[in-house]
């Protein structure tokens, strides 16, 4: 057999490489995936038209260029992001020189490695299923490279079926290794950035900063309440407090990670719950207003938000006890009050004039708050696609565009309050969520990201004011995307229910698979009587399980040893014999095909006429040629499958 790749082998290998690279599409830079999307199809087209592989004078500069671009963009070639970019680029470059079977085997082996690395970015159930499907494709590429010929014209269908069977046979071994292989203290992919880290909420806010989140339907966090959950209007999950404004953007005040938290006095019963937060690569932990204490490996910041000791690089679960009725910071120092009133000079003069007018009309802070809310309610609209704003963004929003979403309203409201002499600040987090009745938990998506305001008054402390609710009450009850109609048909009740059911399954996947660490492993094995788990016990148990699986496989092979042997032609002939036997024409073990046909002519002439072309084709294929044509064998097998005898005959008469 020639070592040169035939057309089917090359194109299947190229397709497997392309599918592998596609699993990294979400994080590949445009300067790489655009050339790859052009290069791989162009290479397949060129080879089909008889063009030779790229020479070393082309491949070497491209390889050096790839290394250079990776280094310029990431600062090194090591790590999760630069490593995956480099791997995808080298894999595609390998196909430029692939002309022989050994080249394609190397590419398929490297594809398996690059495919595995995609799980460092996303470990959701759906994405894992996608990776498994691509793995079937890669295994099919390896099977197509084997020296044994495939005796069928449907090569793609055959190798895909065999690769899926091989992957299925490996699942018991994979499951045993997953449960019993000794683990580190964290999950299997517990290195930094091991989960699919979505940026989520940021520590700064400017017009348009939340737009991507508000149309992102991916889960942000899931909440399990010990008792009845609060109503939708009280589901404010506080994450980041933004106090500094430079005229364009809001940022978090420095130094809030340290120092004592603001004084808080709860009134009424506290709410206890646990949150499973998706990976964000950020340190803040959203919590229902207002967290009274910090969970493990986290602390209360000075503004009484929760801050993790380390970035949330993988899904994290934490328990919180919060108060929904409270008094926060009933007194402020002179310095704190000054910071909560600060505004940059030279910006938004019309806004300042309006606030001073309100102050002149009323000395009461509550009245000024109501004036601002009534001002928004009168002529403003809620939209996720607002027009861009000029340099004086607050003036432009209040007196020109008058349309926007939560970050526009909260920002403008706080500037108005500060200009009127009322301490105020912006808070970002999540509001609302969908109650998943199947799992009994609250699902909060990225599209539930929200920004609101807090104003301060003597004795009552910081109080939440949501100016967005004055413009669009539907946003508070049903969420940003639905209130704006941005998702249309995707918000249908039946689709929402189906999506929530899938989220319940994905949650079980996250808890049972993604977050399966050493502690959970110990708890699982304790139920089977293994109390004190150590690495030796785990390896011994794993060895026993593997030995058991081998015994089961051996027994299955021995049990099925009477399965018809031979090549595809012999198997088709055996099938024909079984069909004849069911019709009463039993072939003796020593009887050849021509003898069988002669006996059938004597006992059942009608059956012999149907049987004669099949016997003639079998004799021609088995005895008439030294090299069997796979296409003729496949056609013979199909003819046997279509062969029927309607009447039972007596072949011995």
């Amino acid at each position: 057999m020639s070592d040169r790749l035939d057309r089917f082998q090359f194109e299947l290998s190229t397709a497997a490489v392309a599918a592998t690279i596609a699993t990294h599409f979400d994080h590949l830079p445009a300067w790489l995936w655009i050339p790859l999307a052009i290069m791989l199809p162009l290479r397949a087209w060129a080879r089909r038209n008889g063009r030779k592989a790229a020479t070393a004078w082309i491949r070497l500069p491209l390889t050096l260029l790839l290394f250079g671009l990776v280094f310029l963009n990431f600062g090194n070639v090591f790590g999760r992001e630069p490593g995956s970019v480099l791997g995808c680029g080298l894999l595609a470059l390998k196909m430029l020189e692939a002309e022989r079977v050994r080249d394609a085997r190397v590419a398929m082996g490297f594809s398996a490695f690059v495919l595995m690395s995609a799980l460092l970015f996303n470990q959701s159930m759906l994405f894992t299923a996608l990776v498994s499907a691509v793995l079937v494709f890669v295994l099919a590429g390896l099977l197509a490279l084997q020296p044994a010929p495939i005796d069928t014209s449907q090569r793609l269908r055959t190798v895909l079926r065999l690769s899926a069977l091989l992957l299925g046979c490996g699942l018991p071994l994979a499951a045993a290794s997953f449960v019993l292989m000794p683990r580190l203290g964290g999950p299997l992919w517990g290195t930094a950035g091991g989960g699919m880290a979505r940026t989520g909420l940021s520590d700064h806010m400017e017009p348009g900063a939340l737009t991507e989140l508000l149309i992102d339907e991916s889960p942000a966090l899931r909440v399990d309440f010990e008792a009845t959950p609060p109503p939708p209007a009280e589901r404010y999950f506080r994450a980041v407090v933004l106090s500094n404004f430079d005229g364009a953007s809001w940022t978090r005040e420095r130094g809030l990670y340290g120092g004592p938290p603001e004084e808080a006095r709860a009134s009424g019963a506290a709410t206890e719950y646990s949150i499973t937060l998706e990976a964000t690569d950020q340190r803040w932990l959203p919590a229902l207003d207002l967290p009274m204490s910090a969970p493990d490996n986290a602390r209360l910041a000075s503004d009484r938000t929760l801050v993790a000791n380390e970035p949330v690089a993988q899904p994290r679960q934490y328990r919180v006890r919060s108060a929904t009725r409270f008094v926060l910071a009933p007194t402020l120092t002179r310095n704190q009050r000054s910071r909560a009133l600060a505004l940059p000079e030279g910006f938004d003069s019309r806004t300042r004039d309006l606030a001073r007018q309100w102050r002149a009309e009323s000395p009461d802070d509550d009245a000024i708050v109501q004036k601002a809310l009534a001002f928004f309610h009168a002529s403003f609209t809620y939209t996720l696609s607002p027009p861009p704003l000029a340099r004086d963004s607050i003036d432009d929003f209040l007196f020109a565009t008058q349309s926007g979403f939560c970050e526009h309203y909260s920002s403008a409201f706080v500037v108005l309050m500060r200009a009127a002499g009322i301490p105020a600040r912006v808070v970002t987090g999540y509001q609302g969520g969908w109650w998943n009745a199947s799992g009994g938990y609250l699902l909060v998506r990225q599209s539930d990201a929200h920004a609101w305001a807090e104003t301060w008054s003597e004795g009552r402390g910081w109080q939440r004011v949501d100016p967005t609710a004055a413009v669009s009450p539907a946003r508070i009850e049903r969420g940003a995307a639905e209130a704006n109609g941005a998702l249309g048909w995707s918000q249908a009740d039946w689709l929402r229910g189906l999506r929530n059911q899938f989220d319940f399954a994905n949650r079980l996947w996250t808890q049972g698979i993604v977050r399966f660490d050493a502690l959970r492993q110990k708890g699982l094995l304790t139920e089977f009587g293994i109390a004190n788990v150590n690495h030796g016990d785990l390896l011994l148990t794993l060895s026993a399980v593997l030995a058991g699986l081998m015994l089961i496989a051996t027994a299955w092979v021995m049990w099925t040893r009477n399965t018809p042997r031979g090549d595809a032609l012999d198997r088709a002939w055996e099938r024909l014999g079984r069909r004849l036997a069911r019709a009463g024409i039993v072939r003796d073990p020593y009887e050849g095909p021509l003898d069988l046909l002669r006996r059938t002519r004597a006992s059942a002439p009608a059956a012999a006429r149907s049987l004669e072309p099949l016997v003639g084709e079998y004799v021609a294929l088995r005895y008439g040629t030294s090299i069997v044509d796979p296409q003729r064998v496949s056609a013979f097998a199909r003819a046997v499958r279509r062969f029927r005898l309607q009447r039972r005959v007596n072949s011995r008469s």
Side-chain angles (χ1 to χ4, degrees):
M1 179 179 179
S2 172
D3 188 46
R4 181 176 171 80
L5 291 168
D6 61 28
R7 174 177 164 181
F8 172 77
Q9 291 172 326
F10 178 82
E11 293 184 356
L12 180 58
S13 300
T14 304
V17 167
T20 299
I21 295 174
T23 60
H24 289 265
F25 174 79
D26 188 54
H27 53 268
L28 286 183
W31 57 260
L32 180 63
W33 69 258
I34 292 178
L36 295 188
I38 298 173
M39 184 178 70
L40 289 175
L42 186 62
R43 166 69 172 132
W45 174 84
R47 193 177 190 278
R48 178 178 290 191
N49 287 273
R51 306 292 179 86
K52 295 182 179 180
T55 64
W57 293 105
I58 297 177
R59 299 194 307 269
L60 183 57
L62 288 177
T63 303
L64 295 176
L65 178 62
L66 174 64
F67 274 89
L69 289 174
V70 171
F71 188 83
L72 287 176
N73 280 267
F74 299 99
N76 60 73
V77 295
F78 303 104
R80 187 181 60 162
E81 287 82 4
S84 64
V85 170
L86 186 62
C88 290
L90 291 175
L91 183 58
L93 289 175
K94 182 63 180 177
M95 295 309 298
L96 288 183
E97 68 171 358
E99 284 292 344
R100 301 196 174 276
V101 170
R102 60 186 180 186
D103 297 326
R105 284 190 180 134
V106 171
M108 292 300 96
F110 191 43
S111 292
F113 173 79
V114 174
L115 183 62
M116 177 275 297
S117 68
L119 293 173
L120 296 174
F121 297 86
N122 190 345
Q123 297 135 26
S124 68
M125 182 173 63
L126 188 61
F127 187 77
T128 304
L130 173 65
V131 169
S132 300
V134 176
L135 180 58
V136 170
F137 214 38
V138 174
L139 291 175
L142 283 172
L143 285 172
L145 301 174
Q146 298 307 305
I150 300 174
D151 295 335
T152 175
S153 60
Q154 300 177 341
R155 298 175 70 184
L156 179 60
R157 176 179 171 183
T158 301
V159 294
L160 286 176
R161 184 174 64 249
L162 288 175
S163 60
L165 179 62
L166 288 174
L167 186 62
C169 291
L171 287 180
L173 175 61
S177 301
F178 177 81
V179 173
L180 298 173
M181 186 66 69
R183 292 174 174 272
L184 301 173
L188 179 63
W189 22 73
T191 56
M196 184 182 181
R198 296 183 178 273
T199 303
L201 297 171
S202 177
D203 59 354
H204 71 279
M205 187 185 78
E206 57 189 2
L210 293 180
T211 304
E212 290 187 5
L213 286 182
L214 295 178
I215 60 175
D216 183 359
E217 284 291 286
S218 61
L221 54 97
R222 300 172 179 87
V223 190
D224 290 280
F225 292 96
E226 296 290 335
T228 303
E234 296 183 7
R235 296 172 186 170
Y236 283 83
F237 293 88
R238 202 164 180 263
V240 185
V241 173
L242 307 173
S243 300
N244 296 331
F245 183 57
D246 62 4
S249 62
W250 291 87
T251 56
R252 186 169 186 157
E253 192 172 316
R254 292 186 178 182
L256 290 180
Y257 289 140
E262 294 173 334
E263 179 187 354
R265 297 197 300 263
S267 59
T271 301
E272 296 187 7
Y273 55 97
S274 64
I275 290 180
T276 302
L277 177 67
E278 293 294 319
T280 62
D281 271 347
Q282 308 288 355
R283 295 178 61 187
W284 33 86
L285 305 176
L288 193 69
D289 261 353
L290 180 79
M292 303 307 295
S293 60
D296 294 338
N297 299 317
R299 60 184 178 274
L300 281 171
S302 300
D303 54 12
R304 214 163 184 91
T305 55
L306 292 180
V307 180
N309 294 342
E310 300 291 339
V312 183
Q314 58 195 18
R316 171 170 177 170
Q317 187 174 28
Y318 53 97
R319 295 185 60 84
V320 189
R321 184 173 179 268
S322 292
T324 55
R325 307 246 192 277
F326 54 86
V327 176
L328 176 61
T331 61
L332 289 181
T333 66
R334 179 178 298 180
N335 187 34
Q336 289 172 332
R337 182 182 178 87
S338 175
R339 292 199 303 269
L341 289 171
L343 286 173
E345 294 296 332
F347 287 89
D348 307 309
S349 59
R350 296 184 65 186
T351 301
R352 295 170 189 261
D353 292 341
L354 178 62
R356 283 193 289 265
Q357 176 187 334
W358 288 346
R359 174 57 74 184
E361 294 172 353
S362 174
D364 182 42
D365 290 354
D366 290 343
I368 293 177
V369 169
Q370 293 305 316
K371 282 180 178 290
L373 295 179
F375 178 60
F376 287 139
H377 180 72
S379 57
F380 285 72
T381 57
Y382 182 92
T383 176
L384 296 183
S385 304
L389 300 176
R391 173 186 178 274
D392 291 334
S393 58
I394 305 300
D395 278 359
D396 201 23
F397 172 67
L398 292 179
F399 304 106
T401 65
Q402 295 191 335
S403 63
F405 48 91
C406 58
E407 65 183 36
H408 297 82
Y409 292 104
S410 60
S411 178
F413 178 84
V414 171
V415 171
L416 281 168
M417 293 302 102
R418 289 187 175 189
I422 302 174
R425 60 191 185 184
V426 175
V427 182
T428 61
Y430 297 94
Q431 194 282 324
W434 300 111
W435 180 255
N436 191 311
S438 300
Y441 64 92
L442 183 71
L443 169 63
V444 180
R445 299 183 182 274
Q446 295 290 354
S447 58
D448 294 312
H450 194 49
W452 59 95
E454 288 182 345
T455 60
W456 185 88
S457 60
E458 189 71 37
R460 292 185 298 177
W462 292 107
Q463 294 180 301
R464 180 176 65 239
V465 181
D466 193 347
T468 306
V471 181
S472 177
R475 163 61 188 92
I476 308 305
E477 293 294 330
R478 299 194 299 272
E482 185 175 354
N484 191 60
L487 300 180
W489 64 271
S490 68
Q491 287 295 316
D493 290 339
W494 68 270
L495 187 59
R496 184 186 307 159
L498 181 63
R499 188 176 59 190
N500 286 346
Q501 291 286 352
F502 177 77
D503 182 79
F504 178 51
N506 200 49
R507 185 195 189 208
L508 295 177
W509 170 269
T510 300
Q511 292 179 337
I513 304 298
V514 177
R515 300 186 67 245
F516 187 77
D517 53 16
L519 184 62
R520 291 174 179 263
Q521 185 183 52
K522 181 179 180 180
L524 177 64
L525 297 178
T526 300
E527 298 180 2
F528 293 91
I530 307 177
N532 299 317
V533 180
N534 56 54
H535 289 182
D537 293 336
L538 289 174
L539 292 175
L540 183 62
T541 306
L542 178 60
S543 300
V545 171
L546 296 181
L549 291 174
M550 292 179 64
L551 288 175
I552 293 173
T554 303
W556 180 80
V557 171
M558 295 180 66
W559 182 262
T560 58
R561 63 185 304 173
N562 292 327
T563 300
R565 299 178 181 179
D567 56 14
L569 182 59
D570 285 336
R571 289 193 295 272
W573 178 250
E574 291 291 339
R575 173 180 292 180
L576 179 61
R578 291 192 297 272
R579 296 201 170 188
L580 290 173
R582 286 195 293 270
I585 305 174
V586 180
R587 181 173 63 88
D588 292 325
Y590 55 81
E591 193 172 28
L594 296 179
D595 292 333
L596 173 65
L597 180 60
R598 281 193 293 270
R599 182 162 57 83
T600 304
R601 284 172 177 163
S603 59
R609 284 192 293 271
S610 300
L611 182 61
E612 185 171 355
L614 291 176
V615 172
E617 181 67 4
Y618 175 75
V619 171
L621 289 172
R622 177 54 66 205
Y623 306 109
T625 179
S626 59
I627 300 178
V628 179
D629 184 358
Q631 294 187 4
R632 289 183 64 185
V633 172
S634 180
F636 176 75
R638 289 195 298 270
V640 168
R641 286 193 294 269
R642 293 193 298 266
F643 179 75
R644 295 290 187 276
L645 286 179
Q646 301 296 332
R647 184 173 60 88
R648 186 174 179 85
V649 299
N650 182 4
S651 63
R652 300 300 181 188
S653 59

